[in-house]
Amino acid sequence: MEKRNFAFDRMNFILIAACMAIVIVGFMLMAGPGSTETTYNPDIFSTRRIVVAPVVCLVGFVGMIYAVLHKPKDSKADGLMDLKYKEEAAEK
């Protein structure tokens, strides 16, 4: 069976999923009731909504950048498999 070279490894997908969950949590922290035309709600300026939630989202987005740029380490078995395929290609 031919070995496929994918752009992302399993670890990349795990990191991307975890960072996406962090961003979703950040957006959930930002959510809440807002002010209407008739009533003023001071909760729109709470620390959770204007400081904590954006920082959580920022951490998630920076983590996603890392997850995309993360290069998987080649294991010893992968190196041996690459060597095997190179030898087979050289024989042909």
Side-chain angles (χ1 to χ4, degrees), residues 12-30 52-53 55-65 67:
N12 293 90
F13 288 116
I14 292 170
L15 289 172
I16 289 171
C19 292
M20 181 61 84
I22 291 171
V23 170
I24 290 170
V25 167
F27 278 107
M28 287 172 39
L29 289 172
M30 277 189 236
V52 176
V55 169
V56 170
C57 288
L58 180 67
V59 168
F61 285 124
V62 170
M64 271 195 224
I65 292 170

